[in-house]
Every structure is written in C-alpha cells, then in structure tokens.
Amino acid sequence: MMAGLPRLFVAADLSSRRELDTLLAQIAPTGAGIKIGLEAYTALGGELVQAAAEQGCSVFLDLKFHDIPTTVARACTNVAALGASLTNVHALGGPRMISAAREALEKHGGPGRTKLLAVTILTSHSEADVRELGFTENSAVLVPRLARMARDAGADGVVCSPHEASGVREAAGPGFLIVTPGVRPSGSASNDQQRIATPVDAIRSGATHLVVGRPITGAPDPAAAAQAIIGEIRATLAGN
C-alpha cells in the first residue's frame, strides 16, 4: 500500500473550471481524491492538478498513455512536474513502455514520485468485446497476466475491474496497488460500465483504491455520497 493515497477517488468528468471548483469544494473536506480524465484535461489542462492541490486533494491523472516508450517517458516527465499522485499507461503498450514511464517518474519525481498504474482491460468492455479484440483468454485470465507483466516492468499497480481484483492480487502479490473503476453503490445505474461491483464487494475482492464517478458527482449532496462510500470502505477493511 502506498502511504498517503486516499482510498476513494472521485471521477471529475467535467469540462468547465466552475464545475471543477464546485466539486473540489465539496469533495476536499471528505479526504477523497480527484480523478482527472481526458474530458477534463483536454478542456482545462494542467491547471486542474494545481487547483486540486490547492484544495488539498490528491490527483489521479487518468490519461492512459499508449505510445512509443520515448514519447510516453516524456509525457510522464510532464506529469511528474504537475505533481499528480497517480497516473497511468495502457498495459498493452508493453513492458518497454511501462519501464520507460517508471524511469521517467523516478528521475523527475524523487522519493515522493507519481505512482504508476497500468490499465488492463477497460471496465466498459464485455467478454464479447474482449474476444472481438482478438484475445483468446477471458478477462479472468488475461487481466492477471497483464498485471504480472506490468509489475515486472515497474508499475506500482493496475487499473482493473473489481471482478478481476482477486486474480490480480494472487498474480501480483502483496503491496501492489489495485485501483478499480466500475464501482457502483447498490441501486446505482451501471451507465456505460459492464463489469461493475459495489464498494464493499470491490474491497473484499482485493481492491486497494476505488474510483467512483456519477453516483457521487450526480448525487444531490456529493460530499455526503463520498462520505458514505468512505464509511463503507473503512467498515469493510475493519472487518465489520
């Protein structure tokens, strides 16, 4: 487990600074972090990371780099300068790309460097999608294999569905971060996610950190929604 990382990251799928500032004001007091993805980053850029830092929020910069090793290394150098707590690359970029990303983060981030995650199979993909992509293995086999490869190449953890978390833990061992999107509190809509689970189920399956978006950002009281999930996480970890 990486010390200092919040257990919950709230997906800020927003395109305006006003929306982000409102969300940060609601979320920062809960102790949750913010996940900044492609929509928000392409609209507003690196200022989002700085704005979150000013509010005391850890940032998961979710840009899913997948390119030649040199290009990804240079991008990770820029991420290190922004001060994000987490960032990610696609595991399918391969071990040389992952190693290059890790080396760049270490070189430019020092002891408190940005931690590196490898995205395995998107939670929007069904098993039919995985087959259509040309994989002969199902997700339960493919995701742990990608996780082991990513660990050996220098990743600190992976992003995967809660459904594959237990297999990843077995494959990658203790201390490896398992960050799971596709987390929905009971009764929430699945939206475009296919392989989903509740916060309790995700933690019990081995997830170390959860990403939750619309069930929090679309709630009448986002702070209360985040606090409720944080409470579920703490209770589950305590064995209650």
Side-chain angles (χ1 to χ4, degrees), residues 20-90:
L20 178 77
D21 287 342
T22 298
L23 182 63
L24 285 172
Q26 295 166 323
I27 295 304
T30 72
I34 291 288
K35 183 183 79 70
I36 295 173
L38 289 170
E39 178 182 352
Y41 193 82
T42 52
L44 299 168
E47 69 181 65
L48 300 185
V49 182
Q50 297 166 335
E54 289 170 1
Q55 294 285 345
C57 273
S58 294
V59 173
F60 171 13
L61 190 55
D62 175 27
L63 302 181
K64 300 182 180 73
F65 298 134
H66 188 171
D67 211 312
I68 64 173
T70 299
T71 297
V72 170
R74 289 172 177 167
C76 285
T77 296
N78 294 335
V79 170
L82 289 173
S85 297
L86 292 169
T87 195
N88 56 9
V89 299
H90 269 289

Side-chain angles (χ1 to χ4, degrees), residues 81-161:
L82 289 173
S85 297
L86 292 169
T87 195
N88 56 9
V89 299
H90 269 289
L92 294 175
R96 287 196 303 115
M97 187 198 74
I98 295 170
S99 294
R102 169 66 182 259
E103 289 170 10
L105 293 173
E106 284 189 338
K107 181 178 180 180
H108 298 280
R113 65 171 175 83
T114 303
K115 303 306 182 285
L116 179 65
L117 304 174
V119 178
T120 54
I121 298 297
L122 298 176
T123 53
S124 60
H125 285 336
S126 66
E127 292 299 336
D129 293 327
V130 172
R131 289 193 299 273
E132 190 171 357
L133 288 169
F135 294 107
T136 56
E137 303 162 314
N138 62 25
S139 296
V141 175
L142 176 60
V143 170
R145 178 170 66 78
L146 290 172
R148 190 182 303 109
M149 177 273 293
R151 178 204 62 190
D152 293 346
D156 297 294
V158 294
V159 180
C160 69
S161 157

